[in-house]
Amino acid sequence: MSEQTPHFIAPKNVIIIGAGVVGLGIAWRLAQRGVEVTVFDKGCAGAGASHAAAGMLAACVEAEPGEEALVALGRTSQAQWPDFATELERVTGISVDLRREGILMIALTADDQARLHHHLEFQRSLDLPLEWIGAAELRRREPHLGSTLAGAVYSPQDHQVDNRKLVTALRAAAEGAGATIREHQSVRAIVIAGDRACGVALADGTEVAADAVVLAAGAWSRTIEGLAPALRPPVRPLKGQAIALQMDPAAPLIRHVCWAPGVYMVPRNDGRLILGATVEEKGFDPNLTAGGVLALLEAAWRAVPAVEELPIAEMWVGHRPGSRDDAPILGPSAVPGLTYATGHHRNGILLAPVTANFIARAVVDGVVAPAIAAFVVDRFMPAQAAE
Ligand code: GLY
């Protein structure tokens, strides 16, 4: 059974720093529990990584050795996604386009095939429901794939949502439940009094008091002042460039989310085909680059040659919040009254339900659910700093 966090006081009002899908989801759940919630964002709600994401719920295909706990968290969240989407749709009337075709990891060459088979052995050791399909079956499922094709790993339980619709729906749900969202109001610092978080200081100098604070500022989480540097969550920006091509929605070139060497391709209901994404250690660099765009287009064209004719609808840059071990930082911090929900790296959309549900519980009840116990910030803290 979970134990209550030390120094826990049930909060009546909570400030959340960051109005991405993580902050909005927590705000929704807290407001449903009767807590007075205010969410601050330095820009428009959901305009950061939540807007830039591709919306894949890819707990199985993205499973990597050494990330077994993260895979388990992703699977828990994946299982929560259908109810989360249904509830969001019911309370807001906004569909988030949860699509359940599954994901294909495509091998173009024998070399790709050998690599995927090797990885499949590891994925199966975690009991992930993945299967190999041959080239003929793959072509039957996706007829527009190019002539060079070796087969694919099919993941029937990895799905996608439209992350931009998700932002709209979560915002409506949070506000509908009573949360206040204050956009273009940058939080400069977390205010700490008597060793306890008791509000935030805005960039204009205003201080706003609260019983508890949740830091959900994504890649910007480490820039918020008020904590000693050793206590700040170790999160950095990981730049990603992405492109949307426009397909005919009535005749899309692909119907599954498809990963091919060097690119993933995510078909949307409106005909957009998202191509993503680079992973770059370039800080908050906002620039699209010729090399990044070329690499994505070339990789997509090798897998689906007919993309050559598609108009480009949009290109953008986002910044994933990457922690030192690529896993999120969830739950209580070393400062009573301050909870972390950051560092979601490639998995912010996938982990939105589990984060909203369990962080709201941690804030309101002071209980760290077993599902998130492995993700508290203590794992990064030197013993003396965490005391
Ligand atoms: N989750 C996909 C990405 O981070 O590019």
Side-chain angles (χ1 to χ4, degrees):
M1 183 157 153
S2 314
E3 292 199 1
Q4 217 167 47
T5 312
H7 314 293
F8 176 71
I9 299 171
K12 291 192 171 47
N13 56 68
V14 174
I15 285 175
I16 299 175
I17 308 171
V21 295
V22 168
L24 291 172
I26 297 165
W28 179 33
R29 290 306 192 212
L30 286 176
Q32 285 179 317
R33 298 274 313 258
V35 176
E36 188 186 321
V37 188
T38 307
V39 189
F40 288 95
D41 199 285
K42 62 181 178 44
C44 294
S50 303
H51 186 80
M56 290 180 292
L57 311 178
C60 301
V61 297
E62 293 221 49
E64 293 291 339
E67 294 187 347
E68 286 77 358
L70 179 58
V71 175
L73 186 70
R75 294 287 282 159
T76 302
S77 205
Q78 219 171 30
Q80 293 180 0
W81 249 108
D83 286 348
F84 193 73
T86 302
E87 186 183 351
L88 261 182
E89 189 164 341
R90 180 171 51 74
V91 300
T92 65
I94 299 166
S95 170
V96 297
D97 289 356
L98 174 61
R99 286 180 50 161
R100 305 181 198 221
E101 292 91 350
I103 293 184
L104 290 164
M105 305 266 316
I106 294 168
L108 299 180
T109 64
D111 193 57
D112 300 335
Q113 178 174 355
R115 188 173 39 78
L116 285 183
H117 270 297
H118 185 66
H119 199 55
L120 187 56
E121 265 177 51
F122 159 73
Q123 290 163 314
R124 284 197 172 137
S125 75
L126 302 183
D127 284 332
L128 298 175
L130 300 165
E131 60 183 276
W132 178 258
I133 59 172
E137 174 59 17
L138 176 57
R139 188 170 302 291
R140 191 188 66 73
R141 296 188 194 190
E142 291 293 1
H144 288 283
L145 291 172
S147 54
T148 310
L149 219 49
V153 172
Y154 175 55
S155 179
Q157 293 180 17
D158 282 341
H159 301 307
Q160 63 146 313
V161 293
D162 185 322
N163 43 290
R164 295 183 183 180
K165 290 186 177 177
L166 175 64
V167 166
T168 307
L170 280 174
R171 179 189 185 138
E175 289 183 322
T180 301
I181 297 165
R182 292 176 58 176
E183 297 174 287
H184 305 287
Q185 299 211 20
S186 205
V187 170
R188 183 184 56 76
I190 296 159
V191 176
I192 297 171
D195 290 341
R196 215 187 145 78
C198 61
V200 296
L202 304 182
D204 67 7
T206 315
E207 287 201 4
V208 187
D211 297 332
V213 176
V214 178
L215 180 57
W220 288 265
S221 296
R222 206 174 165 74
T223 67
I224 309 294
E225 299 170 17
L227 298 173
L231 294 182
R232 293 189 193 179
V235 173
R236 71 192 190 287
L238 274 168
K239 177 185 169 185
Q241 304 183 48
I243 303 169
L245 305 178
Q246 187 62 53
M247 304 183 291
D248 176 354
L253 289 182
I254 59 171
R255 292 176 191 278
H256 300 78
V257 173
C258 292
W259 288 62
V263 72
Y264 54 74
M265 298 171 279
V266 184
R268 294 280 200 242
N269 287 354
D270 63 2
R272 281 159 64 97
L273 179 62
I274 314 297
L275 309 181
T278 64
V279 182
E280 302 171 61
E281 296 278 2
K282 296 264 177 61
F284 285 110
D285 175 13
N287 295 310
L288 287 158
T289 62
V293 169
L294 178 68
L296 294 174
L297 288 174
E298 203 264 343
W301 173 77
R302 282 189 66 217
V304 186
V307 297
E308 183 162 342
E309 300 294 335
L310 298 179
I312 293 176
E314 189 185 344
M315 300 196 280
W316 64 91
V317 170
H319 297 96
R320 307 171 183 87
S323 75
R324 273 184 216 139
D325 60 5
D326 293 342
I329 300 172
L330 303 173
S333 70
V335 177
L338 174 63
T339 301
Y340 290 147
T342 186
H344 289 69
H345 191 228
R346 303 177 65 84
N347 298 307
I349 309 299
L350 167 67
L351 299 178
V354 87
T355 303
N357 295 337
F358 290 137
I359 292 297
R361 203 171 154 219
V363 172
V364 176
D365 302 327
V367 168
V368 178
I372 62 168
F375 301 98
V376 292
V377 73
D378 296 8
R379 70 191 193 274
F380 299 119
M381 293 295 159
Q384 68 279 17
E387 277 164 12

